[in-house]
């Protein structure tokens, strides 16, 4: 009968007489427990314990699923927050810098590059995110543009010096363009192909790097190889501005191979900066402006000239939102 002391543990009633089997017993008497009753209650306890364990496991599993879902959601949001940016002309001196800067910011951007030859691809590291295509052939650039968010155009026709030039004899160099590589084909048709493909792919922004001097038909750059390079660049810029895609057109001054981030940047319009002493800018600074233009609404639907003060004159530009806010011209 000593087992009767376990009754309160098994019986859920608040008093012994509330257990219907023993409701007729005087409260002072101990309650007998049969072996069958113990087995039933033991089974009940075992079932309850199993259910409890199952419920706890289920709860923990649900919490784990929720946690994994939350973590996956955060990762997915982080991935979706990154912009996939294609740099065309990534094998050029300025294009390489832009591509490299994007690669250095993996938390913000997924970088892609487009070059014209396998040799150029090898020169910039031969990464899988570098595509080979010819901007004059619209179909060849589609794989590079599919799935991107932003296009940065840094392609340009390049005038070559004719053989036989000898600067020691006081000669002036003569220039030419390779067949099929004239400004009309590269800076107009090639850039138009890029804009059309990017628009069809639904890009959110196109950044186009051109040159100052386009307001003057007699600019010396137009005479190089009789290519009228600034005329065709300007035509492509106008096509982009009329495309309906958010754009940023950067008309850079004379490009220098110097370190960036050391000078005060200047923006202007209609070639006004060409009339001053500040007509140049480092390629690295142009590259940084291209990337910063992706971060601010103030840079969208804007076209501007870009140069810099000499190093040590003024303060190095750090506030790019303020820089873009100075610009009021759409073209």
């Amino acid at each position: 009968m000593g087992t009767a002391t376990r009754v309160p543990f098994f019986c859920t009633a608040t008093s012994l007489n509330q257990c219907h089997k023993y409701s007729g017993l005087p409260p002072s008497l101990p309650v007998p427990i049969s072996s069958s009753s113990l087995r039933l209650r033991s089974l009940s306890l075992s079932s309850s314990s199993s259910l409890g364990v199952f419920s706890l496991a289920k709860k923990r599993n649900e919490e784990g699923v929720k946690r994994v879902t939350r973590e996956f959601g955060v990762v997915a949001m982080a991935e979706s927050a990154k912009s996939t940016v294609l740099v065309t002309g990534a094998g050029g001196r300025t294009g390489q810098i832009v591509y490299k800067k994007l690669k250095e910011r993996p938390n913000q951007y997924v970088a892609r590059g487009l070059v014209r030859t396998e040799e150029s691809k090898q020169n910039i590291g031969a990464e899988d995110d570098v595509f080979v295509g010819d901007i004059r052939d619209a179909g060849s650039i589609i794989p590079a543009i599919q799935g991107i968010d932003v296009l940065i155009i840094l392609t340009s026709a390049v005038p070559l010096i004719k053989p036989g030039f000898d600067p020691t004899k006081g000669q002036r160099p003569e220039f030419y363009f390779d067949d099929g590589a004239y400004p009309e084909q590269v800076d107009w048709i090639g850039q138009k192909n890029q804009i059309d493909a990017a628009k069809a792919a639904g890009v959110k922004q196109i950044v186009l790097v051109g040159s100052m001097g386009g307001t003057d038909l007699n600019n010396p750059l137009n005479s190089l190889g009789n290519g009228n390079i600034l005329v065709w660049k300007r035509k492509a810029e106008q096509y982009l501005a009329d495309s309906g895609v958010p754009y940023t057109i950067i008309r850079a001054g004379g490009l220098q191979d110097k370190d960036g981030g050391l000078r005060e940047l200047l923006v202007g319009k209609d070639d006004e900066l060409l009339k001053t002493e500040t007509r140049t800018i480092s390629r690295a600074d142009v590259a940084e402006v291209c990337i910063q233009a992706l971060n601010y609404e103030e840079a969208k639907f804007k076209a501007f000239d870009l140069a810099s003060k000499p190093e040590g004159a003024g303060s190095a530009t750090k506030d790019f939102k303020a820089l873009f806010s100075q610009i009021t011209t759409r073209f």
Side-chain angles (χ1 to χ4, degrees):
M1 299 298 289
T3 56
T5 54
R6 297 186 182 182
V7 170
F9 179 80
F10 291 115
C11 182
T12 58
T14 56
S15 68
L16 293 179
N17 282 341
Q18 286 180 307
C19 292
H20 71 277
K21 184 176 179 181
Y22 304 110
S23 57
L25 292 176
S28 59
L29 293 179
V31 181
I33 302 297
S34 68
S35 58
S36 60
S37 178
L38 280 174
R39 285 196 299 272
L40 287 173
R41 283 179 167 81
S42 177
L43 179 61
S44 175
L45 175 61
S46 176
S47 300
S48 299
S49 300
S50 298
L51 287 172
V53 171
F54 176 77
S55 298
L56 179 60
K58 181 180 179 183
K59 181 179 180 181
R60 288 179 177 175
N61 184 60
E62 290 173 348
E63 289 174 350
V65 170
K66 289 178 181 178
R67 183 177 66 253
V68 171
T69 302
R70 285 196 302 270
E71 291 173 355
F72 179 79
V74 169
V75 171
M77 287 177 64
E79 290 295 327
S80 65
K82 295 181 184 180
S83 293
T84 299
V85 183
L86 172 65
V87 181
T88 61
R93 284 185 287 175
T94 307
Q96 286 188 44
I97 300 172
V98 177
Y99 173 73
K100 181 180 178 182
K101 281 178 174 285
L102 290 169
K103 296 283 281 186
E104 291 170 349
R105 305 172 196 189
N107 293 331
Q108 292 178 270
Y109 307 108
V110 177
R112 289 188 192 178
L114 177 70
V115 297
R116 190 167 56 87
T117 66
E118 284 289 345
E119 181 182 0
S120 292
K121 179 173 180 174
Q122 295 299 322
N123 288 341
I124 63 172
E127 297 277 356
D128 291 339
D129 55 32
V130 177
F131 295 75
V132 177
D134 190 333
I135 61 171
R136 297 166 298 180
D137 175 6
S140 75
I141 64 176
I142 296 300
I145 289 179
Q146 288 283 345
I148 66 171
D149 300 300
V150 177
L151 171 64
I152 300 179
I153 300 176
L154 280 154
T155 53
S156 178
V158 180
L160 305 172
I161 298 177
K162 287 185 177 181
F165 168 64
D166 186 352
T168 64
K169 296 180 179 180
Q171 297 175 346
R172 298 188 65 179
E174 294 184 46
F175 295 88
Y176 72 101
F177 292 93
D178 280 334
D179 289 340
Y182 273 80
E184 179 180 3
Q185 296 154 316
V186 177
D187 292 281
W188 165 234
I189 296 174
Q191 291 190 3
K192 179 179 180 296
N193 286 341
Q194 295 176 69
I195 294 165
D196 288 343
K199 182 176 181 178
V203 301
K204 301 171 185 176
Q205 186 178 3
I206 298 177
V207 177
L208 171 60
V209 178
S211 301
M212 285 198 287
T215 61
D216 181 10
L217 289 175
N218 297 316
N219 188 290
L221 292 178
N222 283 327
S223 66
L224 298 180
N226 295 316
N228 286 319
I229 189 168
L230 296 180
V231 173
W232 296 113
K233 283 182 180 293
R234 197 79 169 187
K235 187 174 177 70
E237 292 170 7
Q238 186 66 67
Y239 186 78
L240 173 58
D242 294 338
S243 70
V245 179
Y247 64 87
T248 305
I249 299 171
I250 303 169
R251 300 179 181 123
L255 296 172
Q256 298 180 319
D257 295 316
K258 295 182 177 181
D259 291 338
L262 304 174
R263 301 166 190 81
E264 182 175 338
L265 304 183
L266 304 170
V267 293
K269 62 179 182 178
D270 300 329
D271 294 330
E272 292 172 347
L273 291 174
L274 289 178
K275 301 171 185 176
T276 71
E277 297 299 318
T278 52
R279 302 188 294 256
T280 61
I281 186 167
S282 74
R283 295 179 187 276
D285 282 329
V286 173
E288 187 62 31
V289 171
C290 286
I291 296 174
Q292 292 294 335
L294 313 184
N295 300 326
Y296 300 101
E297 289 296 318
E298 289 81 1
K300 293 182 179 178
F301 298 104
K302 300 282 183 71
F304 55 94
D305 301 339
L306 181 66
S308 67
K309 291 183 178 180
E311 186 177 346
S315 301
T317 297
K318 304 296 181 185
D319 188 344
F320 287 91
K321 181 175 182 178
L323 181 73
F324 296 133
S325 295
Q326 297 176 38
I327 305 159
T328 57
T329 49
R330 293 178 65 88
F331 187 77

